[in-house]
């Protein structure tokens, strides 16, 4: 948490990541020193800074003053704003709706069967963010499921969460869950995902540690009692150096 809230820079990904731990542990801030004297004011300033990067389309540029939407970071930021809103922090409804509308429009424009790995990843996090906000994503999610073998594991985890939120009993849920579990390397005390990327995905922040975390997040949503959950959590802790991970996205 300290590594995030004290981070000095402020692109859309970094700003969203600074807010996420406060959203995640907002029930604990009265009892644990998180380095934030006034969480509500910290969130207000952070949300305001995020909205300074909202473009005319409703999506988010990567830096203040930018005009081009960074689709992956925009989807991530929109999800963080939705989580903040759900946790009771003030997020302007119009701004959030515009961000969600922009994501939905981009999803509609994609020819899903023809997308490459990069666009498939962007589509997966977009449907995850939209589903988390209660938007309808069934059709693009099912289309994406049909080409899921092109996707890295973390994108399939996003897709699993989206479909599960829409319908926990959907057949795609069982298929995606089985595939994620089949691609986890289990050791006596820990476990890690076995990610196989066909190209460099730095532009969507891909890393082994983050894949572990996103797959763990999906399992906690879909199969929280699975014994691999505890091993994945210990594996994540094992990846830390000096009490933190490598960058804002991993943290």
């Amino acid at each position: 948490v300290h590594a995030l809230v004290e981070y000095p820079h402020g692109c859309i990904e970094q700003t969203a990541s600074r807010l996420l731990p406060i959203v995640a542990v907002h029930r604990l801030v009265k009892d644990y020193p998180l380095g934030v004297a006034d969480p509500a004011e910290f969130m207000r300033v952070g949300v305001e800074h995020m909205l300074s990067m909202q473009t005319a389309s409703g999506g988010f540029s990567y830096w203040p003053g930018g005009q081009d939407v960074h689709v992956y970071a925009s989807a991530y930021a929109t999800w963080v704003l939705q989580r903040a809103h759900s946790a009771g922090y003030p997020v302007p409804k119009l701004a959030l709706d515009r961000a969600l509308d922009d994501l939905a429009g981009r999803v509609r424009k994609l020819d899903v069967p023809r997308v490459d790995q990069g666009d498939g990843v962007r589509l997966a996090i977009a449907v995850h963010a939209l589903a988390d906000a209660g938007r309808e994503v069934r059709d693009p999610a099912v289309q994406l499921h049909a080409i899921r073998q092109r996707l890295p594991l973390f994108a399939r985890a996003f897709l699993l969460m989206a479909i599960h939120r829409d319908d926990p009993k959907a057949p795609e849920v069982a298929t995606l869950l089985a595939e994620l579990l089949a691609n986890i390397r289990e050791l006596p005390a820990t476990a890690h995902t076995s990610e196989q990327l066909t190209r460099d995905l730095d532009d969507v922040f891909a890393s082994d540690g983050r894949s572990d975390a996103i797959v763990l997040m999906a399992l906690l949503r879909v199969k929280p009692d699975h014994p691999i959950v505890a091993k994945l959590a210990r594996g994540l802790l094992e990846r830390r150096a000096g009490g933190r991970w490598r960058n804002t996205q991993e943290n």
Side-chain angles (χ1 to χ4, degrees):
V1 173
H2 292 165
L4 287 171
V5 301
E6 296 169 3
Y7 196 77
H9 307 299
C11 72
I12 190 63
E13 182 277 322
Q14 292 157 351
T15 306
S17 292
R18 291 185 75 205
L19 303 187
L20 188 55
I22 306 303
V23 172
V25 299
H26 67 280
R27 294 184 182 88
L28 306 179
V29 294
K30 293 181 180 178
D31 302 312
Y32 290 88
L34 301 178
V36 178
D38 185 345
E41 177 64 9
F42 182 84
M43 292 295 298
R44 186 195 68 77
V45 171
V47 168
E48 187 176 274
H49 186 59
M50 288 178 69
L51 296 183
S52 75
M53 290 174 267
Q54 191 165 32
T55 67
S57 74
F60 294 93
S61 64
Y62 199 70
W63 291 102
Q67 300 302 316
D68 297 327
V69 173
H70 188 293
V71 179
Y72 189 93
S74 185
Y76 172 67
T78 302
W79 174 70
V80 172
L81 287 174
Q82 173 61 36
R83 300 304 298 166
H85 171 72
S86 297
Y89 291 104
V91 176
K93 185 177 186 303
L94 177 60
L96 179 55
D97 286 345
R98 288 181 62 232
L100 289 164
D101 289 345
D102 179 76
L103 274 186
R106 293 176 189 278
V107 168
R108 285 194 299 270
K109 289 177 183 176
L110 279 176
D111 184 0
V112 179
R114 296 177 181 271
V115 299
D116 62 13
Q117 188 175 67
D119 279 337
V121 168
R122 295 177 186 92
L123 181 57
I125 191 174
V127 298
H128 164 61
L130 290 165
D132 212 48
R135 297 287 187 102
E136 174 57 50
V137 298
R138 177 67 183 169
D139 288 346
V142 169
Q143 291 179 57
L144 192 55
H145 178 267
I147 61 163
R148 66 191 182 279
Q149 297 303 326
R150 300 179 202 170
L151 302 178
L153 291 180
F154 72 86
R156 292 189 225 178
F158 281 138
L159 181 61
L160 172 58
M161 288 185 282
I163 295 175
H164 180 268
R165 183 171 286 279
D166 179 71
D167 179 7
K169 296 182 179 180
E172 296 87 357
V173 169
T175 301
L176 285 163
L177 176 61
E179 290 177 358
L180 289 185
L181 291 171
N183 283 281
I184 295 175
R185 293 178 288 107
E186 189 172 0
L187 299 171
T190 62
H192 295 287
T193 55
S194 183
E195 192 73 272
Q196 296 179 359
L197 303 179
T198 60
R199 72 172 185 83
D200 184 349
L201 290 177
D202 284 349
D203 58 329
V204 292
F205 310 103
S207 73
D208 291 339
R210 200 193 60 155
S211 289
D212 286 358
I214 296 171
V215 168
L216 175 57
M217 183 166 67
L219 292 179
L220 286 168
R221 175 82 57 84
V222 177
K223 194 74 172 176
D225 58 347
H226 196 286
I228 205 72
V229 164
K231 288 189 172 186
L232 273 172
R234 286 196 291 268
L236 270 177
L237 295 175
E238 190 179 65
R239 287 188 184 275
R240 291 179 304 176
R244 64 187 66 184
W245 290 270
R246 295 184 313 139
N247 52 42
T248 51
Q249 186 74 176
E250 283 197 1
N251 277 311

